[in-house]
Amino acid sequence: MVANRLRARRAGIDTYQQPVVYMRSDCDVCRAEGFQSQAQVEVLAGARHLLAILHHVTDEWLRHDEIALSEAAWTLLGAASGDEVEVRHPPLQDSLAHLRAKVHGVKFDYGALRPLMEDVSLGRLADIHLASFVTICAGGGLDFDETVALTRAMVDIGERLDWGVSPVMDKHCIGGLPGNRTTLLVVPIVAACGVTMPKTSSRAITSAAGTADAMETLAPVELDVASMRRVVEREGGCIAWGGTARISPADDMLIRVERPLNLDSEGLLVASILSKKIAAGSQRVLIDLPVGPLTKLRSVEAAGLLSRSMVSVGAALGLQVRIQLTDGTQPVGRGIGPALEAMDVMAVLERRADAPSDLRERALLLAGGILEMAGRSEAGSGVRMARAVLDDGRALAKFIAICEAQGGMRVPPGSAHSHEVCAPVGGLVSAIDTRLLTRAAKLAGAPRDPAAGATMHVRLQDRVDLGQPLFALHAESLGALQYALSFVRSQLPIVHIDARQ
């Protein structure tokens, strides 16, 4: 065996999107190359290569002639167990010079951001460099020109879809509001009106369910570009997971380090959203901005600033953007969690008497706005058209057809265990802590367990009696249910009740 070659082994360790490799600290390669723990190394298997973070192993589970790969590294490298791989120091990245220049006051331009985003998307930069980039961009670190250049660069280094028709519509919600699963209603309504709407959606990052998670309880979502095109050509729309296609690939890498840093960056947020819309072939997009005390946008003023930035950056890149401010003071619908939110959607589509009216009306507002943007209805009449399509069953028929085209419709699963959380006093519901409610749903198992989560029984301004159920927790195991209940009891009240009313 050549000195810097080792045999690949699958470690079976989930490191999320960060490729990690494990080597004996006393193996010949580490000793010869001077590899330190936490160093970045390049691993090559034939024509494929990856950059990964090295962790040292001192235990006998790993042999001196082996290198173990985390799940992310194993998938990216595509090696087979026992394959010989080469391990070496990574090449120096010229794009880091642009990062250093920004630190010293030089503005980013497209020429700097294009190679930076390419290196980000290919995993050539270590997390410390990604964190530096995110930090530099935070707190107004990107002006208008830089945000436009970043958005363009993020589009250009990935796939860009072209649907061959016009207009191609899209929607997006910036998130932060549990249960806001309007996409599953908007797409079939719009598509039933003859408007093209290929929707790529994300899985949950910090929420109890992403759009793709909820849709996956009803139909397959992992569609490649060819499958998406087939579904859209047949039905006029789709609801697919965006991770299958290489659309704005640098964005997912940046999000991975943005979340733990918890830094506010308007420029990165705008570039993240708009780059994915442009790359997905969208021409006109409606963006839902929930405003509330616990959402990403706490005030109408903050929403106004973000709105102006999105509209102007979109216009500079040929994308028509329209903003819709919505209420973010309480959860939408009843369900919080993939299957529970999907059940709400089906209740609305099937026009059941117990369907959540707030989810229905919010979806009609957004669908109406999209129909007006598409020129399918006159200004002010979009909601009326959307309501007619929903009420006469065309939206349900279109949704079923989309599900069948994506691989077949499913019935959302139910949970094995549940527990009601009841009112400690009687009075008026004055506030609902949506963040704590989301945390409880996640501790119960959502979105990992599709049937897990929470079901709301009350809304703001409802009058409740002592002992009346406020919400229920659902879990697949008793252990997860007890864990979530312990959290709820330690954080009471999640639902605030004004006993004086």
Side-chain angles (χ1 to χ4, degrees):
M1 180 176 287
V2 180
N4 66 337
R5 290 183 179 273
L6 297 169
R7 296 194 184 281
R9 172 178 171 180
R10 190 172 186 171
I13 299 174
D14 183 0
T15 55
Y16 189 42
Q17 294 177 337
Q18 174 66 69
V20 176
V21 295
Y22 306 87
M23 297 166 59
R24 288 287 295 261
S25 57
D26 55 352
C27 77
D28 290 342
V29 177
C30 279
R31 292 163 66 94
E33 298 289 342
F35 290 143
Q36 299 295 315
S37 187
Q38 293 296 313
Q40 189 178 43
V41 297
E42 185 175 28
V43 185
L44 298 93
R48 303 191 71 172
H49 71 98
L50 69 87
L51 295 175
I53 299 300
L54 170 65
H55 287 188
H56 278 169
V57 174
T58 59
D59 196 72
E60 295 299 322
W61 71 267
L62 187 66
R63 291 172 30 177
H64 288 76
D65 63 345
E66 291 181 322
I67 178 171
L69 285 74
S70 71
E71 290 299 287
W74 187 263
T75 301
L76 288 170
L77 190 62
S81 183
D83 281 358
E84 270 195 11
V85 298
E86 181 183 353
V87 188
R88 67 189 186 189
H89 289 282
L92 295 175
Q93 301 302 326
D94 294 337
S95 65
L96 291 177
H98 301 303
L99 192 58
R100 290 190 290 270
K102 175 67 174 176
V103 172
H104 293 289
V106 179
K107 285 180 57 173
F108 281 138
D109 59 15
Y110 180 82
L113 288 164
R114 170 64 188 262
L116 259 174
M117 290 303 101
E118 186 162 0
D119 284 347
V120 169
S121 70
L122 295 174
R124 293 172 179 163
L125 302 186
D127 276 8
I128 192 169
H129 298 133
L130 299 183
S132 298
F133 178 79
V134 170
T135 304
I136 287 169
C137 295
L142 297 176
D143 63 18
F144 171 77
D145 291 334
E146 289 174 306
T147 303
V148 171
L150 176 60
T151 308
R152 191 187 303 277
M154 291 172 75
V155 172
D156 289 349
I157 54 94
E159 297 286 340
R160 185 164 182 176
L161 306 182
D162 183 352
W163 300 99
V165 296
S166 184
V168 177
M169 308 304 297
D170 207 339
K171 73 166 281 286
H172 182 81
C173 176
I174 67 165
L177 194 61
N180 195 15
R181 208 50 59 219
T182 54
T183 291
L184 276 64
L185 295 165
V186 170
V187 170
I189 291 172
V190 171
C193 292
V195 177
T196 302
M197 191 170 178
K199 184 74 177 75
T200 58
S201 299
S202 62
R203 296 191 184 277
I205 299 173
T206 59
S207 66
T211 296
D213 300 312
M215 182 63 180
E216 195 168 39
T217 69
L218 293 163
V221 296
E222 295 192 5
L223 309 181
D224 57 22
V225 173
S227 298
M228 284 176 56
R229 193 174 299 281
R230 174 182 53 78
V231 175
V232 173
E233 287 176 352
R234 175 172 152 183
E235 300 299 340
C238 68
I239 305 170
W241 177 49
T244 308
R246 193 171 178 269
I247 296 173
S248 189
D251 184 48
D252 293 330
M253 303 292 284
L254 291 173
I255 286 174
R256 179 170 55 79
V257 297
E258 277 183 89
R259 297 300 180 185
L261 287 172
N262 196 27
L263 287 174
D264 179 29
S265 175
E266 180 183 295
L268 277 181
L269 176 62
V270 171
S272 171
I273 294 171
L274 299 189
S275 66
K276 285 194 168 179
K277 299 306 174 189
I278 295 169
S282 305
Q283 298 162 351
R284 304 173 194 175
V285 58
L286 179 66
I287 298 181
D288 175 12
L289 301 184
V291 180
L294 296 175
T295 62
K296 294 178 182 179
L297 295 170
R298 309 292 177 83
S299 67
V300 173
E301 291 74 21
L305 289 173
L306 182 60
S307 299
R308 288 190 288 275
S309 181
M310 284 188 166
V311 171
S312 58
V313 171
L317 295 167
L319 180 69
Q320 182 183 340
V321 177
R322 175 173 164 180
I323 304 296
Q324 180 66 60
L325 301 188
T326 55
D327 175 29
T329 59
Q330 61 183 322
V332 180
R334 289 187 295 268
I336 302 169
L340 296 166
E341 294 177 24
M343 291 175 189
D344 278 353
V345 167
M346 292 310 301
V348 173
L349 285 170
E350 292 170 354
R351 292 100 69 205
R352 296 207 300 262
D354 63 344
S357 60
D358 60 328
L359 175 62
R360 170 188 163 91
E361 293 306 314
R362 187 178 293 245
L364 289 174
L365 176 67
L366 298 173
I370 291 171
L371 291 172
E372 291 175 15
M373 286 184 74
R376 186 67 181 82
S377 69
E378 304 242 342
S381 64
V383 171
R384 186 166 60 251
M385 175 179 283
R387 193 182 304 279
V389 171
L390 180 60
D391 288 346
D392 65 16
R394 280 179 287 166
L396 173 61
K398 178 57 70 175
F399 184 76
I400 293 172
I402 289 172
C403 289
E404 292 298 333
Q406 290 188 193
M409 194 164 184
R410 305 164 174 165
V411 176
S415 64
H417 306 278
S418 63
H419 184 88
E420 299 284 358
V421 176
C422 299
V425 296
L428 205 65
V429 176
S430 58
I432 300 173
D433 193 316
T434 54
R435 288 189 176 180
L436 292 180
L437 194 59
T438 295
R439 179 82 184 278
K442 291 174 68 177
L443 292 176
R448 181 188 63 256
D449 298 327
T455 304
M456 289 301 302
H457 299 315
V458 297
R459 296 184 56 76
L460 292 179
Q461 301 304 308
D462 281 357
R463 185 169 294 281
V464 298
D465 298 322
L466 171 66
Q468 179 176 332
L470 302 175
F471 61 93
L473 290 175
H474 305 269
E476 284 299 285
S477 70
L478 280 173
L481 182 62
Q482 291 301 323
Y483 192 39
L485 282 171
S486 296
F487 171 78
V488 168
R489 289 166 185 149
S490 71
Q491 298 292 330
L492 290 175
I494 290 178
V495 177
H496 295 256
I497 299 171
D498 189 343
R500 297 168 300 178
Q501 298 294 326

